[in-house]
Amino acid sequence: MDATCIFKRIEKKYLLSEAQYETLFQRIGAHLRPDEFGRSTVLSLYLDTPDRRIIRNSIEAADYKEKLRLRSYGTAGADSTVFLELKKKYGGVVYKRRAAMTLKEAERYLRMGIKPYESQIMSELDWAMRLYGRPKAAMLIACEREAWFDEAHPDLRLTFDRNIRCRETELRLDRGSAGAPLLPKDTVLLEIKTAGAMPLWLADALDAEGILPGSFSKYGEAYLRTLEERDHPVCLIEGGQRHVVNL
């Protein structure tokens, strides 16, 4: 596995019922193969300033948004591989910088600023960390994910996330994935990630099932929920639904 990775792609999100997932997968499953992680529990530890500047900027900004997070696939141990990520969105395109390291190295970096190695991407990540005054763990979000790709379209990746949950305590990747649910039990979050236009077979399947893209941010939703629980106002859109930027 490469220690560093760069992604530039378009990402679209869809909230499905389990019934919609079943019928959609019947249409597209023949095209898909499990990716490197297949089915896994994904843990994402979002980093932020004490006043939650990063997520507030993402919610309020119209054109440019970014997030910093540390991610593991399954509960991590000291020597497990984790990924420090900087995710940006500008003009509808998502840019991601990702550096792999052990959890032990990541925790030392977050605590003391000691980089696990030198690379261009690690320097970019470190610049962002310094820009925000070395943000700390603010929210842990976990989900059960199945991830797929299409051999004929190597830039295409689909992920289906279930049981999305969050917590503001025990903000470590080695403390399990328990948390409060963010969505109703039978809801599936589909993310389609591609470097360009999606293949016709996928576009046709979404159209046939009447599945339309929407906006949903796991960290954004979790942050707004904490405000709601603390009797703060939340942003609303038509139908009284929460509006959370899509990043």
Side-chain angles (χ1 to χ4, degrees):
M1 181 183 300
D2 291 340
T4 58
C5 293
I6 299 174
F7 300 94
K8 176 185 176 182
R9 60 198 183 192
I10 298 169
E11 297 184 359
K12 293 187 179 294
K13 300 185 181 183
Y14 308 78
L15 289 174
L16 315 177
S17 66
E18 282 288 355
Q20 286 177 308
Y21 163 82
E22 293 292 344
T23 55
L24 176 65
F25 206 84
Q26 288 175 10
R27 291 181 180 272
I28 67 175
H31 295 273
L32 302 177
R33 301 290 181 271
D35 86 344
E36 177 185 4
F37 294 103
R39 295 177 184 268
S40 60
T41 299
V42 181
L43 288 79
S44 297
L45 190 61
Y46 285 86
L47 310 176
D48 216 326
T49 62
D51 64 355
R52 300 300 183 261
R53 174 184 166 194
I54 298 177
I55 190 57
R56 288 191 296 103
N57 288 348
S58 287
I59 291 173
E60 296 165 4
D63 297 322
Y64 179 81
K65 315 168 194 304
E66 64 184 5
K67 292 177 185 168
L68 280 158
R69 68 190 180 201
L70 188 66
R71 169 167 288 183
S72 68
Y73 293 85
T75 300
D79 295 318
S80 300
T81 298
V82 300
F83 301 92
L84 181 63
E85 299 179 344
L86 170 64
K87 188 175 182 181
K88 305 180 180 183
K89 185 177 183 182
Y90 179 72
V93 179
V94 173
Y95 303 85
K96 187 162 78 172
R97 300 291 188 267
R98 183 174 78 177
M101 60 196 73
T102 66
L103 177 61
K104 180 168 53 181
E105 291 171 331
E107 290 181 336
R108 183 175 64 172
Y109 172 68
L110 295 180
R111 186 175 65 254
M112 303 170 61
I114 300 173
K115 290 185 282 186
Y117 50 81
E118 294 293 338
S119 71
Q120 177 60 36
I121 294 177
M122 194 66 229
S123 294
E124 292 181 39
L125 290 165
D126 190 59
W127 184 89
M129 290 288 292
R130 287 185 285 109
L131 174 68
Y132 287 107
R134 308 214 67 86
K136 306 299 183 184
M139 184 78 69
L140 187 138
I141 295 178
C143 66
E144 307 307 320
R145 169 171 291 182
E146 45 180 283
W148 305 86
F149 74 99
D150 175 17
E151 291 178 334
H153 301 85
D155 291 326
L156 175 68
R157 187 168 182 260
L158 281 72
T159 59
F160 297 91
D161 292 345
R162 293 176 173 82
N163 190 19
I164 302 171
R165 51 210 187 267
C166 67
R167 69 173 187 252
E168 288 187 285
T169 60
E170 294 192 285
L171 296 175
R172 295 172 58 96
L173 296 179
D174 59 358
R175 298 292 176 85
S177 63
L182 281 178
L183 290 170
K185 187 176 181 179
D186 67 344
T187 304
V188 181
L189 175 63
L190 163 62
E191 295 187 44
I192 298 176
K193 308 166 187 183
T194 179
M198 69 177 68
L200 187 60
W201 56 263
L202 180 53
D204 286 346
L206 293 169
D207 184 62
E209 296 299 328
I211 297 173
L212 301 175
S215 295
F216 184 80
S217 162
K218 298 183 185 78
Y219 181 26
E221 176 70 15
Y223 170 71
L224 289 179
R225 180 167 297 185
T226 62
L227 292 186
E228 186 177 58
E229 291 172 352
R230 295 165 188 166
D231 296 323
H232 284 261
V234 298
C235 300
L236 300 177
I237 58 172
E238 294 81 7
Q241 297 299 311
R242 241 187 299 261
H243 173 67
V244 183
V245 293
N246 184 12
L247 175 56

